[in-house]
Amino acid sequence: MKKLLSFLICTALILSIIPTAVFAAGETSGQCGDNLTWSYNTATATLTISGTGDMFDFYIGAPWTSYRSSIRYIVISDRITRIGLSAFSECTDLTNVTIPNSVASIGESAFYDCSGLTSITVPDSVTSIGDYAFSNCTGLTSITIPDSVRSIGDGAFSDCTGLTSITIPDSVTSIGRMAFSSCSGLSSITVGTKNEKYFSNGNCLIEKDTDKLILGCKNSVIPHSVTIIGDSAFYGCTGLTGITIP
């Protein structure tokens, strides 16, 4: 009877839009996609995403928002095809996550501000990494980008101050603005030798067609072939002590 009376005396109510999943206080499971469910084990601080398909985009907050700051481990079903926008953003205590081989894309800000994350392996199934997907993951020291990834979004790894090296595989044809900006610990930039769009020289990331320097780091030596230094190429390189422009 109480449920039926929930909106009975709301005389000024014009329209009520109920979100996809409404959870009672303290509830630790629910739906997070058409065929997906989530559960959180408070004892082990483990968030489990089960089912098949595409995770929802969480523009304001995921249904596990009240647990964000305590989540340490995330287990994702090996039948999930996409990790949605802001899915695990601001999970600051997160230390471990395994992305299964079924995932084709990692959405915008998916792991934004997961400052406790120290390493992550992107599986061979992923073709795109969204804008700011791993931005501000300050504890991240290593990242493996597979040869399946074609695009890296704007600011995808920006402010990852613990990152010391990056390797861009042959498959990448698009790198967004400031994708690695403010990675102040970055000292090594390498591009696969068969990449048709970019190459590396002197720890610089350079666009082939334009000879534009896209990204530099504290150990960069700008080669003589460079004719343009791109926007924000050295943004946030706080360890840079000197540079020679040819």
Side-chain angles (χ1 to χ4, degrees), residues 132 135-136 155 157-161 176-186 189 213-218 220 229-240 243:
Y132 307 99
S135 178
N136 211 38
F157 296 95
S158 60
D159 295 292
C160 290
T161 54
R177 292 183 64 257
M178 303 180 76
F180 297 93
S181 67
S182 293
C183 292
S184 54
L186 194 62
I189 301 171
L213 193 153
I214 303 296
L215 174 68
C217 66
K218 62 183 180 181
S220 289
I229 296 177
D231 295 347
S232 307
F234 289 91
Y235 184 88
C237 287
T238 55
L240 189 66
I243 196 81

Side-chain angles (χ1 to χ4, degrees), residues 13-158:
L13 185 64
I14 298 173
L15 175 65
S16 175
I17 301 175
I18 300 177
T20 304
V22 179
F23 303 100
E27 190 171 357
T28 56
S29 64
Q31 189 174 359
C32 59
D34 292 335
N35 298 297
L36 298 175
T37 58
W38 69 278
S39 62
Y40 181 63
N41 186 318
T42 55
T44 62
T46 301
L47 175 68
T48 302
I49 312 295
S50 305
T52 304
D54 185 342
M55 285 185 67
F56 283 166
D57 286 335
F58 301 107
Y59 292 96
I60 299 175
W64 46 83
T65 290
S66 58
Y67 304 104
R68 279 189 191 276
S69 60
S70 61
I71 295 171
R72 296 191 65 191
Y73 310 101
I74 295 176
V75 178
I76 302 173
S77 164
D78 60 5
R79 293 177 293 170
I80 287 176
T81 56
R82 186 178 75 96
I83 297 175
L85 182 152
S86 300
F88 307 116
S89 64
E90 299 178 350
C91 291
T92 52
D93 279 359
L94 180 64
T95 59
N96 185 276
V97 59
T98 299
I99 300 174
N101 256 319
S102 55
V103 173
S105 64
I106 299 172
E108 182 179 339
S109 302
F111 293 92
Y112 172 79
D113 201 21
C114 291
S115 54
L117 200 60
T118 57
S119 66
I120 193 159
T121 299
V122 178
D124 292 337
S125 55
V126 172
T127 59
S128 66
I129 298 173
D131 296 349
Y132 307 99
F134 296 96
S135 178
N136 211 38
C137 291
T138 54
L140 194 65
T141 58
S142 65
I143 178 74
T144 301
I145 302 173
D147 210 19
S148 57
V149 171
R150 295 193 295 269
S151 65
I152 299 172
D154 293 348
F157 296 95
S158 60

